[in-house]
């Protein structure tokens, strides 16, 4: 394999080929979960370099894992610890940051390293927004990662990240590497010509509509309003939104995506609602989805425990983002990973950075506004409701007529309070990771679930039976409340079998009609449903891109010597560029 390493160095430059445990750590270790050995990690600087590197990997018959910001929560963009039958190369795309506005900014073409934060800032002068502007954008997630994992959906009107328009590479059932142009734009015939034009931004002056193909989920606003439906609003295995790159989970190598953008609301207002009765929040959800003219921009749920752990263990991340901005977060994660790699190599473990950061955070002054803390003390359940334009007065009139009650109340946030409330909500995931790192004596690990309850569910808040709760040190509940997507995470006590806890909780959720995972995708934590596995097999017949996702086979051609692709008769790309 030395010849392959040399070839990759010739293509992308030796400075962007990483080998050895310390150099590759930030590419092979998951943000929260998982990690395994790699032969090398590379960072191409152009799409043409990425294509040539992919060709070299294909000739060498190695596994390729395409990775962007590596902020996933289920290990889906890093290798598994074992079980592969070929060496693994990680292609990290974070140098591929070209972003082109098309059709007067109503759509964009994103290279695979473009982040949500980058896209949000580019669109702001146009008074437009990307699919997601909160949540993952706080930790530097990529646009392509969101689409490949059907992530997002915290913005209620837009649903999960989705497009039918992409340029991607795939390997056909006969083993041929193909570049497929389904961007809806004529860029030439050969692969290198197409990609060179994208690298240079050489696009036609008048780009047409995409012949009926979608660049976002146009139906979601109506779909989420159906509060009588017995199925969830969205989940990763939902076949209505699996299409080529969308939901592919790395089984294609994505070079570019064409996506819709959305008009920004001229006026917005955050309402902070607290209650000690979860049924009261559910009534609000059903009244708004079923009766309001205006859908909310966002509606985020946070339990008091989630508020507490984020306030304490996410404090330094909160302060960092407020001080330096979200665009600096990936750089901070990379520096932390390098530091952890050095301490790991020195035999000091990988939690020293977390302990130091947590010690520093204790010295910082209180960072959350007073009214948020007062509501934390008064109420167990918190709902952050963000409305825009006409919806502001609609929500104001509704809440004024409804509150106060014996169990709940609300207030209208100032701009500073609203920003603080949402940032506290979206640092909770990192806070759970921090807690695990600094309490190794009492915590075995995190069991992290993201689940989608049926749209007609009314009993939404989980109460675990004592035989399960006795083995859990801390339970964290938050989520995207209006679509009933909930993030439920558990710090399992030391010495307890985490897989048993996970299986027991999932059994309870299945009985309630929940689907899982909802938006973080299967990664290496969940078993892919049969329909999702078939989708992966159709995309990647030789199982060469990110094998093993969804606890599927990690072997060549899915471990079947006489394998025939389920779509073999019609899996040739509609438009190919060789």
């Amino acid at each position: 394999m030395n010849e392959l390493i040399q070839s990759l160095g010739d293509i992308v430059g030796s400075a962007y080929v990483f080998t050895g445990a310390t150099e590759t750590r930030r590419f092979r270790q998951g943000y929260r979960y998982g990690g395994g050995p790699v032969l090398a990690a590379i960072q191409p600087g152009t799409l043409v370099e990425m294509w040539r590197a992919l060709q070299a990997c294909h000739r060498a018959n190695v596994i390729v894992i395409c990775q962007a910001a590596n902020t996933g929560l289920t290990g889906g963009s890093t290798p598994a610890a074992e079980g592969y039958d070929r060496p693994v190369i990680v292609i990290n795309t974070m140098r591929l940051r070209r972003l082109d506005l098309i059709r007067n900014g109503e759509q964009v073409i994103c290279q695979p390293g473009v982040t949500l934060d980058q896209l949000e800032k580019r669109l702001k002068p146009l008074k437009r927004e990307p699919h997601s502007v909160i949540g993952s954008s706080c930790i530097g997630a990529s646009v392509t990662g969101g689409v490949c994992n059907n992530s997002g959906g915290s913005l209620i009107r837009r649903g999960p990240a989705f497009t039918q328009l992409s340029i991607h590479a795939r390997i056909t059932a006969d083993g041929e590497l193909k570049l497929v142009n389904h961007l809806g734009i004529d860029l030439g015939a050969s692969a290198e010509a197409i990609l060179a034009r994208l690298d240079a931004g050489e696009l036609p002056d008048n780009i047409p509509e995409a012949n009926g193909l979608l660049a976002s989920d146009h139906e979601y606003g109506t779909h989420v309003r159906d509060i009588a439906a017995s199925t969830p609003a969205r989940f990763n295995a939902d076949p209505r939104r699996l299409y080529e790159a969308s939901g592919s989970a790395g089984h294609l190598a994505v070079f570019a995506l064409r996506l819709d953008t959305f008009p920004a609301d001229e006026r917005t207002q955050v309402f902070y609602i607290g209650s000690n009765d979860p049924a009261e929040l559910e009534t609000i959800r059903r009244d708004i989805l079923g009766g309001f003219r205006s859908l909310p921009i966002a509606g985020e749920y946070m339990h008091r425990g989630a508020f507490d752990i984020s306030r304490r263990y996410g404090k330094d991340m909160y302060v960092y983002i407020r001080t330096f901005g979200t665009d600096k977060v990936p750089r901070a994660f990379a520096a932390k990973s390098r530091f952890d790699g050095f301490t790991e190599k020195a035999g000091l473990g990988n939690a020293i950075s977390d302990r130091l950061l947590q010690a520093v955070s204790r010295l910082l002054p209180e960072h959350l506004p007073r009214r948020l803390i007062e509501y934390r003390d008064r109420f167990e359940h918190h709902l952050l409701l963000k409305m825009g334009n006409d919806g502001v007065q609609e929500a104001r009139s509704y809440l004024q007529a409804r509150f106060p009650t014996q169990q709940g109340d609300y207030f209208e946030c100032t701009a500073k309070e609203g920003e603080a409330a949402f940032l506290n909500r979206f640092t909770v995931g990192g806070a759970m990771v921090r807690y695990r790192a600094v309490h190794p004596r009492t915590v075995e690990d995190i069991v992290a679930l993201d689940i989608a309850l049926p749209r007609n569910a009314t009993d939404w808040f989980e109460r675990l039976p004592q035989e399960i709760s006795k083995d859990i040190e801390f339970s964290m509940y938050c989520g995207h409340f209006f679509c009933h997507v909930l993030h439920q995470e558990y710090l399992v006590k030391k010495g307890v079998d985490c897989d048993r806890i996970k299986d027991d909780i999932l059994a309870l959720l299945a009985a309630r009609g929940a689907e899982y995972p909802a938006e973080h995708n299967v990664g290496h934590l969940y078993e892919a449903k049969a329909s999702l596995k078939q989708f992966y097999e159709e995309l990647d017949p030789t199982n060469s891109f990110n094998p093993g996702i969804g606890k599927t086979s990690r072997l060549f051609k899915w471990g079947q010597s006489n394998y025939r692709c389920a779509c073999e008769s019609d899996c040739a790309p509609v438009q190919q560029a060789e």
Side-chain angles (χ1 to χ4, degrees), residues 164-219:
Q164 295 174 318
L165 304 168
S166 69
I167 291 181
H168 58 266
R170 65 188 301 269
I171 299 174
T172 61
D174 60 5
E176 188 174 358
L177 179 67
K178 301 275 189 181
L179 186 78
V180 183
N181 180 7
H182 284 170
L183 208 60
I185 304 171
D186 184 4
L187 295 168
S190 73
E192 293 212 359
I194 290 171
L195 298 177
R197 285 175 180 162
L198 286 175
D199 281 327
E202 295 178 357
L203 300 171
D205 292 333
N206 297 307
I207 294 176
E209 293 185 7
N211 296 322
L213 296 177
L214 300 176
S216 64
D217 187 346
H218 294 185
E219 302 169 351

Side-chain angles (χ1 to χ4, degrees), residues 26 48 53 55-56 76 136 155 179 182 295 297 325 342 388 395 429 456 479 509 528:
R26 62 190 173 109
V48 171
Q55 288 178 307
S136 296
L155 299 188
L179 186 78
H182 284 170
L295 275 175
I297 297 171
F342 290 131
N456 66 354
L509 289 167

Side-chain angles (χ1 to χ4, degrees), residues 27 208 258 310 419 423 471:
F27 305 108
R258 179 174 170 181
S310 186
E419 290 175 6
L423 186 51
D471 291 326

Side-chain angles (χ1 to χ4, degrees), residues 18 52 68 75-76 148 156 189 223 236 238 267 280 305 307 328 377 385 420 427 441 457 487 530 569 572:
F18 306 91
R52 292 172 179 171
C148 290
I156 297 165
H223 183 72
N236 284 131
D238 187 352
R267 296 180 295 112
E280 190 166 48
F307 185 106
K328 300 297 190 299
D377 295 338
L385 176 64
T427 54
R441 295 181 181 179
H487 301 298
S569 62

Side-chain angles (χ1 to χ4, degrees), residues 194-268:
I194 290 171
L195 298 177
R197 285 175 180 162
L198 286 175
D199 281 327
E202 295 178 357
L203 300 171
D205 292 333
N206 297 307
I207 294 176
E209 293 185 7
N211 296 322
L213 296 177
L214 300 176
S216 64
D217 187 346
H218 294 185
E219 302 169 351
Y220 188 76
T222 301
H223 183 72
V224 74
R225 280 186 181 272
D226 187 0
I227 54 177
S230 60
T231 56
R234 59 187 177 95
F235 55 99
N236 284 131
D238 187 352
R240 67 186 288 275
R241 287 299 175 251
L242 297 176
Y243 189 94
E244 295 185 340
S246 294
S248 61
H251 277 294
L252 296 173
V254 178
F255 287 81
L257 296 172
R258 179 174 170 181
L259 296 154
D260 288 332
T261 69
F262 304 87
D265 290 271
E266 294 180 3
R267 296 180 295 112
T268 64

Side-chain angles (χ1 to χ4, degrees), residues 154-165:
S154 59
L155 299 188
I156 297 165
R157 307 165 188 169
R158 302 174 194 174
F162 176 77
T163 185
Q164 295 174 318
L165 304 168

Side-chain angles (χ1 to χ4, degrees), residues 355-472:
R355 292 171 185 164
L356 290 173
L357 289 168
Q358 190 59 30
V360 170
S361 73
R362 294 192 187 103
L363 303 176
L364 299 173
E366 177 59 58
H367 59 295
L368 294 181
R370 174 183 54 81
R371 285 204 291 181
L372 268 61
I373 296 171
E374 289 177 354
Y375 262 52
R376 177 264 168 225
D377 295 338
R378 291 176 59 192
F379 302 115
E380 180 181 0
H381 305 283
H382 299 221
L383 177 61
L384 288 59
L385 176 64
K386 186 175 184 180
M387 302 296 296
N389 294 342
D390 292 344
V392 173
Q393 186 56 47
E394 193 172 15
R396 181 179 289 130
S397 299
Y398 171 81
L399 294 172
Q400 285 175 346
R402 181 172 186 83
F403 288 107
T405 66
Q406 288 186 341
Q407 296 290 338
D409 207 346
Y410 86 101
F411 67 89
E412 292 193 26
C413 293
T414 65
K416 183 178 179 181
E417 287 172 331
E419 290 175 6
F422 275 97
L423 186 51
N424 189 52
R425 156 68 182 90
F426 286 110
T427 54
V428 70
M432 291 289 285
V433 176
R434 172 66 56 75
Y435 190 104
R436 177 183 63 182
V438 300
H439 294 286
R441 295 181 181 179
T442 59
V443 173
E444 183 68 26
D445 206 348
I446 300 172
V447 170
L449 306 178
D450 66 298
I451 62 109
L453 294 174
R455 283 166 282 173
N456 66 354
T458 56
D459 186 15
W460 60 272
F461 185 70
E462 178 179 76
R463 304 285 185 186
L464 288 175
Q466 201 273 336
E467 60 265 24
I468 297 177
S469 62
K470 67 180 175 59
D471 291 326
I472 296 173

